[in-house]
Structure formats: structure tokens, C-alpha cells
């Protein structure tokens, strides 16, 4: 997902102009994504860390990553690992029979946990 790539690039120390150019998006758009995430970075870390515990009775929580941004992204990644560890690969039926193994991508887990509201005003609420 493009927004996820932008957040990861910012956590790695890139500025919004560099990120926008790499993703071929308008700088103002990318700056908006990054600003919205910056306001809630600690809350995002807390929500995804909580989901790790909900999904795994003995979760492997990430070590501090050095910055609030990196910590939040590490928590998102840990929640995605917990989904995979709990449910394994997801089977998807193929057209014509048979099944394919599908691993749920990290940013799809982020979308599911946030109900598609990761950057939306009011998320996360106090009752996530």
C-alpha cells in the first residue's frame, strides 16, 4: 500500500518531498499523510501492541526501534506476525478448483485493525 510505504520511508528518515517523489504522489498529499500519522503515532503503537496480545497469549513484542515512528511501525508489523502465527496462511479458492496460499500483507492487517481509518480523524478512539 502506498500510504504504508510513505510511513515506512518517513520512519527511515526520509522527508516528505523525497517520499512523494519516490511514490509519484503530490508532495502536499504525502505531507498530509505524514502529519496525520505524526499526531497519533503513540496511540497507533499502543493499539497495535494491544492487538498483539489479543491475537497471541504470549506475543513477541518488538524491542524499542529508536523513534516513535519506528516503534509504531514495529508494532504494526508485530500485529501482522501475530495474525499469521494465530491463523497461519489463509486458504483462498482459485477459479476452477484447488486452493492457493495467501499470506495477509502487513498493511492489510493495519487496515483491518483500524477499520480503514488509520489516518482518519478520531481514530483511534479511547475504546478501540
Amino acid at each position: 500500500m502506498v500510504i504504508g510505504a510513505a510511513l515506512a520511508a518517513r520512519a527511515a528518515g526520509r522527508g516528505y518531498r523525497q517520499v512523494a517523489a519516490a511514490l509519484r504522489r503530490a508532495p502536499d498529499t504525502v505531507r498530509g499523510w505524514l502529519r496525520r500519522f505524526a499526531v497519533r503515532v503513540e496511540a497507533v503503537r499502543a493499539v497495535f501492541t494491544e492487538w498483539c496480545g489479543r491475537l497471541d497469549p504470549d506475543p513477541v513484542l518488538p524491542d524499542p526501534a529508536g523513534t516513535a515512528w519506528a516503534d509504531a511501525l514495529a508494532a504494526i508489523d508485530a500485529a501482522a506476525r501475530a495474525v499469521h502465527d494465530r491463523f497461519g496462511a489463509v486458504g483462498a479458492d482459485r477459479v476452477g478448483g484447488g486452493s492457493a496460499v495467501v499470506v495477509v500483507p502487513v498493511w492489510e492487517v493495519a487496515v483491518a485493525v483500524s477499520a480503514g481509518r488509520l489516518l482518519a480523524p478520531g481514530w483511534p478512539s479511547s475504546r478501540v
Side-chain angles (χ1 to χ4, degrees), residues 5 11 18 31-32 42 49-50 56 61-62 66 71 73 76 93 98 101 122:
Q18 284 182 312
R31 184 175 53 203
E42 178 55 31
T49 300
E50 181 180 339
D56 185 343
L61 298 176
D71 288 346
L73 294 179
I76 292 170
D93 289 330
V101 175

Side-chain angles (χ1 to χ4, degrees), residues 15-93:
Y16 78 92
R17 286 187 180 99
Q18 284 182 312
V19 175
L23 297 175
R24 296 183 178 180
R25 295 296 190 266
D28 288 343
T29 299
V30 172
R31 184 175 53 203
W33 296 340
L34 301 180
R35 283 181 176 174
R36 282 189 295 279
F37 192 77
V39 170
R40 66 191 72 194
V41 70
E42 178 55 31
V44 168
R45 186 207 53 78
V47 166
F48 283 89
T49 300
E50 181 180 339
W51 272 97
C52 287
R54 289 182 182 189
L55 291 163
D56 185 343
D58 189 20
V60 177
L61 298 176
D63 291 328
T67 68
W69 278 77
D71 288 346
L73 294 179
I76 292 170
D77 187 59
R81 274 195 318 273
V83 166
H84 186 270
D85 290 349
R86 172 124 186 217
F87 299 108
V90 179
D93 289 330

